[in-house]
């Protein structure tokens, strides 16, 4: 029998906090023992078969999710879609994919070599979205990818898993604003992503977002081990687009800066 939606998100969370131990501390600081509701979970991939965006989305469509918004990130050479479930308590899903053909022949060669190592059966397995990397890559090739695309390098190192979870600030007891959340986190010693400002977006675009900088973790490459940025935690506050109706989409200009939470700093 296939796993339930709730079991899927629990497994996904457990994989995420292995790479992002600070996320559990975020829950302690903001939740104080109460449940935290997540606004969305984000995934990265390459636009190559068999691991393209639609292959990842198929897992969520099978769980009752529906496609909603499309997004283009010209500078980072990505496209993305977001998905929503009829149960509003379940997190939205944001899946992006790298437009591999728009990069250098060398990046294309490295990435195609990675994807060629992924068995098609792995992509349809129920644990695929928290299965990690299905390939070997040298630290040299990782660094080559990093020169062109932080996104590609992150995928090469970590593979298929949540890039970040996102606290739903609207559902967070004791907090009225994202500024309050950010200040509490900074007081607790967290470093925030300041690219584009600590808060990306505004009430005018119906969405404000902030995020921690990624944790660092040791990754075993084929030739050596390196400590590199892993995953981060995001915070989102949504505003009404109509009475009692919150905006549920994403703002590409803000998401563009959120991607930089995994930059090496």
């Amino acid at each position: 029998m296939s796993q339930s939606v709730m079991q899927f998100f629990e497994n996904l969370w457990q994989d995420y906090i292995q790479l992002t131990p600070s996320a559990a501390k975020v829950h302690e600081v903001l939740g104080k023992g109460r449940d935290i509701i997540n606004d969305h979970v984000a995934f990265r991939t390459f636009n190559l078969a068999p691991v393209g965006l639609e292959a990842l989305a198929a897992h969520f469509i099978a769980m009752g999710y529906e496609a909603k918004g499309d997004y283009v990130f010209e500078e980072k050479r990505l496209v993305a879609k977001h998905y929503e479930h009829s149960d509003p308590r379940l997190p939205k899903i944001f899946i992006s994919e790298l437009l591999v053909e728009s990069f250098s022949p060398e990046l294309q060669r490295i990435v195609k070599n990675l994807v060629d190592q992924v068995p098609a059966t792995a992509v349809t397995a129920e644990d695929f979205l928290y299965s990690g990397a299905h390939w070997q890559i040298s630290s040299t090739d990782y660094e080559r990818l990093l020169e062109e695309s932080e996104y590609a390098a992150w995928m090469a190192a970590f593979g298929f898993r949540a890039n970040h979870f996102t606290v739903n600030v609207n559902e967070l007891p004791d907090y009225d604003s994202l500024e309050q959340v950010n200040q509490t986190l900074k007081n607790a010693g967290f470093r925030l992503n300041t690219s584009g400002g600590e808060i990306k977006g505004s009430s005018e675009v119906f969405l404000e977002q902030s995020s921690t900088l990624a944790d660092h973790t040791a990754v075993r490459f084929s030739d050596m081990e390196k400590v590199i940025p892993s995953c981060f935690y995001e915070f989102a506050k949504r505003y009404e687009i109509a009475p009692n109706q919150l905006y549920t989409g994403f703002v590409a200009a803000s998401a563009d800066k959120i991607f930089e939470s995994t930059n090496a700093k």
Side-chain angles (χ1 to χ4, degrees), residues 180-227:
Q180 289 175 314
V181 171
N182 287 352
Q183 193 59 53
T184 299
L185 292 166
K186 287 189 289 186
N187 291 348
F190 289 92
R191 293 173 62 220
L192 300 184
N193 170 0
T194 57
S195 179
E198 271 185 13
I199 293 179
K200 299 89 167 84
S202 65
S203 56
E204 283 74 35
V205 294
F206 309 110
L207 176 63
E208 292 178 339
Q209 296 165 271
S210 65
S211 61
T212 62
L213 288 177
D215 284 15
H216 282 65
T217 194
V219 171
R220 166 57 61 184
F221 292 96
S222 61
D223 55 337
M224 64 178 290
E225 191 173 87
K226 285 177 75 77
V227 175

Side-chain angles (χ1 to χ4, degrees), residues 46-187:
F46 301 116
N47 69 335
L48 299 175
V51 301
L53 188 158
E54 300 294 345
L56 275 63
H59 289 265
F60 293 103
I61 290 167
M63 294 183 215
Y65 277 82
E66 293 182 3
K68 294 292 181 180
D70 293 271
Y71 310 89
V72 176
F73 301 90
E74 290 183 3
E75 186 181 331
K76 291 183 173 61
R77 290 173 263 182
L78 308 168
V79 294
K81 290 187 177 187
H82 99 264
Y83 299 79
E84 297 177 26
H85 199 277
S86 57
D87 180 349
R89 294 167 299 176
L90 289 174
K92 289 171 276 294
I93 300 298
F94 187 89
I95 306 174
S96 56
E97 64 180 2
L98 192 73
L99 304 176
V100 178
E101 70 282 358
S102 65
F103 289 87
S104 72
E106 186 172 30
L107 181 142
Q108 292 183 51
R109 176 187 61 77
I110 294 170
V111 169
K112 285 176 180 172
N113 180 53
L114 300 181
V115 173
D116 285 347
Q117 297 175 57
V118 183
T121 52
V123 181
T124 54
E126 65 179 23
D127 66 349
F128 178 61
L129 292 166
Y130 47 89
S131 63
H134 292 254
W135 47 67
Q136 288 286 309
I137 183 170
S138 68
S139 63
T140 309
D141 278 355
Y142 167 81
E143 294 292 344
R144 282 180 184 149
L145 294 179
L146 195 57
E147 289 171 13
E148 278 194 69
S149 168
E150 179 281 329
Y151 183 110
W154 188 93
M155 270 300 300
F158 297 105
F160 301 96
R161 48 174 34 111
N163 173 258
H164 63 272
F165 276 71
T166 306
V167 171
N168 181 336
V169 174
N170 298 74
E171 298 287 344
L172 202 55
D174 308 330
Y175 293 92
D176 298 318
S177 71
L178 191 52
E179 286 89 349
Q180 289 175 314
V181 171
N182 287 352
Q183 193 59 53
T184 299
L185 292 166
K186 287 189 289 186
N187 291 348

